[in-house]
Amino acid sequence: LVTGLRDKMALFWSNHFVTQISEYACAPAAYKYLVCLQENALGNFKDFVRAIGLDAAMLIYLNGSGNFKAEPNENYARELYELFTLGRDNGYTQEDITETARALTGHVVFPCPIVSFLEELWDEGEKTIFGRTGNWGYDDVIDILFAERADAIATHICRKIYRFFVSHENPDEDLIAELALSMLDHEWEIAPVLQLLLSSEHFFSEEIIGIQIKSPIELTLGTFTELGMELGGDEELQEGLQEIVDFLGQTTFQPINVAGWPGHRSWISTAFLQARWQGVIFLVVYLFESQPQMLADLAIKLSNDSTDPAVVTRVIMDSLSVRPLESALYERATVVFKAGIPEGYFTDGLWNLGWEQAPYQVLLLMIHLFKLPEFQLT
């Protein structure tokens, strides 16, 4: 459970502390960036901010590696405040950005992914950041930021976490305030915030469940996992999964811009909806062609080897849906699952999931389910 949550949070942070591999084109840097996300995903947010700013991928992407005393570059300083900690136009000025950029000078990436600090390239002069004046360097920036703007940081980050797990629309500001207070009380630890959110009554309330649209990664890998599939050494399947996610607009290590993928409704369009169907259908067809018995075994496990097609249909649909569906949807799906088999075989108890045709029936049912609007929700 913790591993799954860590991976989900690593995905979240990859869309928060954004880099684009096309800008740094260095596989070792991409690996180190991923490790940084995973190691800090459930850790301390202040430590995370300190670490990510010295990550090779980030230094190259936001020009920190070209930020020198003689010619300061403000890109990382601006995004540190605008996107990574405070939020747009929230508690910082252009002067804070300019002075912060000076304090962050001196780091280089060469050869990639090795990060070095060259003191001769650092601006050793006095800087004034959030009203504090001193001979500030990299660590000082982080300490001053978290000391002077703690409330704003906690609220901004907890609102993003809420939007990721709960809802992009109509956020519960009272709960967000509770999450922010928890982050402050626990000195920037992320895990207690998640524990509070994921155990709250709000998180499990009827109006919250199933209102977000799955991202391509959640859609593809979530379906992959729910079908009981494993990658193993299957390079064709690995490439197929990556191609599906890329085609649906969520290329790993390549968010659309520094602000990341907007998510939710942006994942759905007329063209993308068809592609989303095709992507998950590819997975279940691949499973049917390579290991058809797995589909029957899944149905047997979920239904306790029921011989009632309506029961089998319902449990399979419920296992792949986030909330119960309308009765009419189960009824139509049951017709699909029966696959034209004469009704007498079901009423007389002649049919069961051991039939040779059972995997094909499960395949048809899943293809039908994948095309339902409800399947796109999480």
Side-chain angles (χ1 to χ4, degrees), residues 56-111:
M58 183 65 74
L59 282 166
I60 297 172
Y61 176 58
L62 288 180
N63 306 112
S65 186
N67 182 21
F68 305 140
K69 175 180 178 179
E71 193 174 353
N73 187 296
E74 298 180 357
N75 282 1
Y76 184 75
R78 176 172 290 101
E79 306 308 349
L80 173 63
Y81 299 147
E82 182 174 308
L83 295 177
F84 299 163
T85 57
L86 296 173
R88 189 182 301 274
D89 301 324
N90 186 30
Y92 62 92
T93 66
Q94 177 56 44
E95 181 181 2
D96 291 322
I97 293 173
T98 300
E99 296 289 88
T100 297
R102 292 177 55 212
L104 299 180
T105 51
H107 294 91
V108 298
V109 180
F110 185 81

Side-chain angles (χ1 to χ4, degrees), residues 12 14 45 70 88-89 107 117 133 138 173 176-177 205 210 228 239 293 298 349 361:
F12 167 77
S14 75
F45 182 68
R88 189 182 301 274
D89 301 324
H107 294 91
F117 175 69
T133 301
Y138 183 88
E173 294 296 338
I176 291 172
S205 62
E239 292 174 1
Q293 189 56 39
L298 178 64
Q361 291 177 253

Side-chain angles (χ1 to χ4, degrees), residues 12-13 16 45-46 49 80-81 83-87 90 145-163 173-190 193:
F12 167 77
W13 294 120
H16 178 76
F45 182 68
K46 182 179 177 181
V49 173
L80 173 63
Y81 299 147
L83 295 177
F84 299 163
T85 57
L86 296 173
N90 186 30
L145 167 61
F146 278 79
E148 295 294 330
R149 297 293 186 269
D151 289 346
I153 295 170
T155 301
H156 177 62
I157 298 306
C158 289
R159 180 174 285 111
K160 289 197 70 170
I161 290 174
Y162 177 95
R163 285 164 56 89
E173 294 296 338
D174 290 338
L175 179 54
I176 291 172
E178 286 186 49
L179 299 175
L181 182 59
S182 175
M183 178 169 273
L184 294 173
D185 286 346
H186 290 91
E187 298 182 345
W188 304 107
E189 291 296 321
I190 298 165
V193 174

